[in-house]
Each structure stands twice: as structure tokens, then as C-alpha cells.
């Protein structure tokens, strides 16, 4: 796609990796964590030995048993995924990878899998941080399958049709964010969907996980941008009718959204597009406390304003990202439009911030005075670099991970204290837990937590599991959702099973039985 080499053990592209030397010591100084800084190298790729495929894949259409191909498709990009790859301990490995070039190729792979009794895991950019693409428990002893195949859709990466009159595009599911946007840019259009994983993740992955984009309010979820979806199942293909809206029963595309590859392999979708924004304005507003920033963010969205960015950073999050000095919270406010001036909208948001004690600088005057990028630019750069920074910190003996949720405004203060307290207790001191709002709704925020602590080298997975268990239990008992935009996968299954009603689980199982009677598609995710 780009000719760039992927980092085989961690996030992103190999040429974008951050040099870890000095990172650990700097992080320790900023966060008050002692003993960080010694750099560890990953196990050499050539030292990793994979088990032989358990399946005869000689007849698998577009099949590959290449070592690096199998490694890439056996792990997502969560902290435990990265630790396992870094140490060469890849416990669960796909037997082969299929690379179909079109929908007929997808159908051929599913037909082959049924005959070979092989589980099939749909794969896009491989950016899952919840165990969504890992072949855990599939194939071999204790499994009802003889093996597992990863179905890579990235060759299906084109815009097939464009309806500029209705502002919609029919796009193949394997198109990554940059590939999709490059094709739309030729027509002056954009999908306007930018998750943090944008450079690698794909349209099919966004749809299958009900992903949330970068924008904090308004049409920010992939659901909002979807006109219709087409998917291939072992029982045949299904596609929702292309409509701006419909009240005709349960919508087929709404069943596929968030299905995580269990109800069909998404091959294409009609998506709502729009002209590229030409007008933008933003400010970083400082608040003395995180609570004051919460009140301001709530007042803005409850006033009916829909800024593109309304990202609240607590004191520690602001310090970690360079958006603040740690003395107060920072609310990043941004507005944009393809055709009208946005300064009035920004002024309305800033007026509400002032009413709640917020203060801000004129960014042009500040940049002229100190010659540095403004706070908003600094935060944006840090946001995009965070996954690469996580890998650099991992090499320095730092456990850093994130989890996210959503909760109503009335319950947030007690919920926030409960969750952060549970994580600190699970990890012990020293430990730092910061919070930012990724999305803000009239009825509540979507808090996103970052955890940083010294790793116990060689015991990172057990240490992470204690943290994850504590966080999941606290979120569930506090009434939040186990995931707002990271999906369920295998890591969140225990809490998803608690969150969903039992009767709904039975209905979902019935739908699964209808479209995938042998349960080939991504077993263990959501149901089964």
C-alpha cells in the first residue's frame, strides 16, 4: 500500500519508531516514577520459531504460510499483544493467512474453511487492542476446529462508486484511512473519520467494531456515517438497502455494526461523505480543576453546540502531553466547517468556558512571542505519537496502557474516583492514572484513562491482567460501559457478558446460527 515496512512486534511503521534511549528517565522525572530508563531490545525475529500449520492449506485460495505474515496476523496491538511479540512468546498462531482480491475470493475462502473445519478471523489493519484478531483457543486440543485462518481484506481497498449528488461513496472494506482519504481527496471530499489508529485501520474494521472517530461531538461514530453495508457469510451474502433513513424494522446494517466479524465478513459499504473543511479555529482553555473543566464541557454540549473537538485533559494528562504544566486541566476546543466562517461558534464556546472559570491565550500572539507551536498543536502531535511512545516506554520497563468507557454526568464524579482508585490499588505505588474526555454528549462524557507504572520485567502480563481486571470490574460495577469505542474482542468478553441482557444474548446467538451455522467466523468474540 505504502511500501513502508510495518513494525513486526509493535505499533505502526518501523521507520516511525521512537528512540527509547532517554525516554524512560524523562518519563520518570516528569511523573515522579523512579528506576526507569534501562532499554531492552526485542527478541530477534529470526529467533522465533512458529509451529507448523495444522491444516493442509495447499488449496486455500490466496493462502500464505509465510512466517512474518502469520506473526502479523496472530496478534493485535494491545499492551499484552506487544509484550508477547517483544519477548517472542507468541502463544496462539494462525495456521495461514488468506489474501483475497475481491468478494468472490472471500466467498472461496469461506467455502474452503467449511471443508477444512477451519475457523476464520476477518482482518483489516490489525489494530485491535482488545484481542479481536487473536486466534486464542482456536484449533488443536479443546477446540472444535482443526485450525484457524486469518482473512486479510486489505486488497479490497478501492472506492467503487461515488454519488456526489447524494454525497455518498461505495467503498471496499479493506481501505485504510489514508488510502480512503486519498481517493476521496481527488473529488474534494472526505469521510471525516479519524480514529487514533487512522494510518493503519480499515473501513471494515471501523464498521465491525462500531469505532469512534477523533471528533468529540456531532457525527463522530462510524454508525452516523453509514448508509448501507454488504457482508458475506457462510450462508450467503446480505446487504442493507441504501437509504438516508428507514423505520422498517431492525436494520440489517445496524446488526453488522459492532458484530466484530461474527455475523459476516464485511466487504463494502456506502458511506456518507462531505466536502473537506475550509474553515477551522481552536483554543486551549485552562481550568483550575478538572471538575471545572467538566462543568464547562457539559454546558457547551447541553447548549446545543457541537464543536469538532472538545477534549478535556486532566492535570496529569495535560502534563504528559505537553498541553499544560500540571497545575490545572486543559479543554481543547475546536470548530470547523466546509463552507461558513466558524469564529462565532468558537466565541460561543469560549464564552461558556469563561463562565466556568476558564482562561486562554490568543494563540497567534503567544506563538509570535515564544516562537513555539501552540498548545493545540502540541497536544495534537502528542495524540498521534502516543502508540509509538507506548512501545518506546515498554522497552524502558514502563507499563502503560489505556482503557475507555462512557457514563452519565450525574454519576461521573463518583465513578471516576472509583475507577482510578481501583486501578491504583491493583498496581500499587508508584502508579499514575490520568484521564481525558475523548467524546462528550449532552447526557455524559466518554472518559479515556491512561495508566503508567514501572513494569516488573518478565511479569508484565500478570501485572497487566491485575490492572485490567480491576479496571473492568470497577467500570462494570460503577454502571459504565466496558467499551465506548475499542470494541469487545476477547479481552472484554467477561464484562460484556454482564452488560448485555441475557435475552439479547440468546437473540444474538440465534442470528449467529442463521448466518454461520458452524460458527466459523471469529469464534469466541461476542458470543459462543
Amino acid at each position: 500500500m505504502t511500501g513502508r515496512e510495518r513494525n513486526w512486534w509493535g505499533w505502526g511503521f518501523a521507520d516511525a519508531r521512537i528512540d527509547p534511549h532517554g525516554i524512560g528517565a524523562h518519563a520518570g522525572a516528569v511523573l515522579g516514577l523512579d528506576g526507569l530508563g534501562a532499554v531492552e531490545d526485542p527478541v530477534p525475529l529470526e529467533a522465533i520459531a512458529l509451529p507448523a500449520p495444522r491444516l493442509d492449506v495447499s488449496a486455500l485460495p490466496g493462502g500464505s504460510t509465510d512466517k512474518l505474515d502469520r506473526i502479523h496476523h496472530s496478534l493485535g496491538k494491545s499492551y499484552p499483544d506487544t509484550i508477547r511479540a517483544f519477548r517472542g512468546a507468541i502463544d496462539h498462531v494462525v495456521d495461514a493467512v488468506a489474501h483475497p482480491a475481491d468478494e468472490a475470493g472471500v466467498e472461496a475462502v469461506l467455502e474452503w474453511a467449511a471443508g477444512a473445519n477451519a475457523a476464520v478471523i476477518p482482518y483489516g489493519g490489525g489494530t485491535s487492542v482488545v484481542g479481536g484478531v487473536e486466534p486464542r483457543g482456536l484449533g488443536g486440543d479443546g477446540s472444535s476446529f482443526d485450525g484457524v485462518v486469518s482473512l486479510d481484506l486489505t486488497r479490497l481497498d478501492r472506492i467503487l462508486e461515488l454519488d456526489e449528488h447524494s454525497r455518498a461513496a461505495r467503498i471496499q472494506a479493506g481501505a485504510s484511512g489514508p488510502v480512503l482519504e486519498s481517493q476521496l481527496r481527488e473529488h474534494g471530499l472526505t469521510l471525516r473519520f479519524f480514529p487514533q489508529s487512522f494510518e493503519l485501520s480499515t473501513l471494515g474494521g471501523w464498521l465491525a467494531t462500531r469505532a469512534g472517530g477523533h471528533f468529540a461531538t456531532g457525527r463522530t461514530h462510524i454508525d452516523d456515517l453509514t448508509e448501507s453495508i454488504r457482508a458475506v457469510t457462510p450462508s450467503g451474502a446480505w446487504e442493507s438497502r441504501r437509504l438516508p433513513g428507514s423505520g422498517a424494522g431492525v436494520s440489517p446494517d445496524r446488526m453488522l455494526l459492532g458484530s466484530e466479524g461474527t455475523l459476516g465478513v464485511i466487504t463494502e459499504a456506502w458511506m456518507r461523505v462531505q466536502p473537506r473543511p475550509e474553515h477551522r479555529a481552536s483554543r486551549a482553555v485552562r481550568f483550575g480543576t478538572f471538575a471545572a473543566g467538566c462543568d464547562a464541557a457539559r454546558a457547551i454540549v447541553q447548549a446545543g453546540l457541537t464543536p469538532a473537538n472538545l477534549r478535556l485533559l486532566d492535570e496529569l494528562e495535560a502534563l504528559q502531553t505537553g498541553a499544560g504544566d500540571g497545575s490545572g486541566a486543559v479543554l481543547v476546543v475546536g470548530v470547523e466547517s466546509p463552507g461558513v466562517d466558524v469564529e462565532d461558534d468558537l466565541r460561543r464556546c469560549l464564552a461558556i468556558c469563561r463562565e466556568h472559570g476558564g482562561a486562554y491565550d490568543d494563540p497567534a500572539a503567544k506563538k509570535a512571542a515564544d516562537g513555539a507551536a501552540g498548545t493545540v498543536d502540541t497536544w495534537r502531535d502528542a495524540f498521534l505519537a502516543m502508540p509509538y511512545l507506548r512501545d518506546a516506554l515498554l522497552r524502558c520497563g514502563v507499563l502503560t496502557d489505556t482503557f475507555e468507557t462512557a457514563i452519565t454526568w450525574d454519576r461521573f464524579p463518583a465513578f471516576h474516583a472509583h475507577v482510578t482508585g481501583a486501578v491504583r490499588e491493583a498496581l500499587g505505588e508508584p502508579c499514575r492514572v490520568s484521564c481525558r474526555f475523548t467524546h462528550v454528549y449532552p447526557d455524559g462524557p466518554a472518559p479515556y484513562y491512561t495508566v503508567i507504572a514501572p513494569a516488573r520485567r518478565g511479569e508484565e502480563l500478570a501485572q497487566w491482567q491485575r490492572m485490567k481486571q480491576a479496571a473492568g470490574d470497577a467500570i462494570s460495577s460503577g454502571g459504565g460501559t466496558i467499551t465506548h469505542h475499542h470494541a469487545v474482542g476477547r479481552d472484554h468478553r467477561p464484562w460484556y457478558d454482564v452488560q448485555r441482557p441475557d435475552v439479547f444474548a440468546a437473540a444474538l446467538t440465534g442470528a449467529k446460527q442463521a448466518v454461520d451455522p458452524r460458527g466459523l467466523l471469529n469464534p469466541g468474540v461476542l458470543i459462543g
Side-chain angles (χ1 to χ4, degrees), residues 443-483:
D443 51 347
Y448 189 103
Y449 294 93
T450 299
V451 180
I452 299 180
R456 291 192 285 276
R457 300 202 183 196
E459 301 177 23
E460 293 98 338
L461 292 178
Q463 189 181 10
W464 174 87
Q465 186 58 55
R466 283 192 293 273
M467 182 278 295
K468 189 68 174 179
Q469 186 74 43
D473 289 348
I475 287 171
S476 184
S477 64
T481 177
I482 191 56
T483 180

Side-chain angles (χ1 to χ4, degrees), residues 27-51:
V30 171
L31 299 170
L33 304 176
D34 296 327
L36 306 180
V39 175
E40 184 178 358
D41 292 326
V43 169
L45 179 61
E46 55 271 19
I48 299 175
L50 299 184

Side-chain angles (χ1 to χ4, degrees), residues 494-510:
W495 301 283
Y496 174 68
D497 288 352
V498 172
Q499 181 174 328
R500 69 182 182 188
D502 291 340
V503 172
F504 174 78
L508 188 59
T509 300

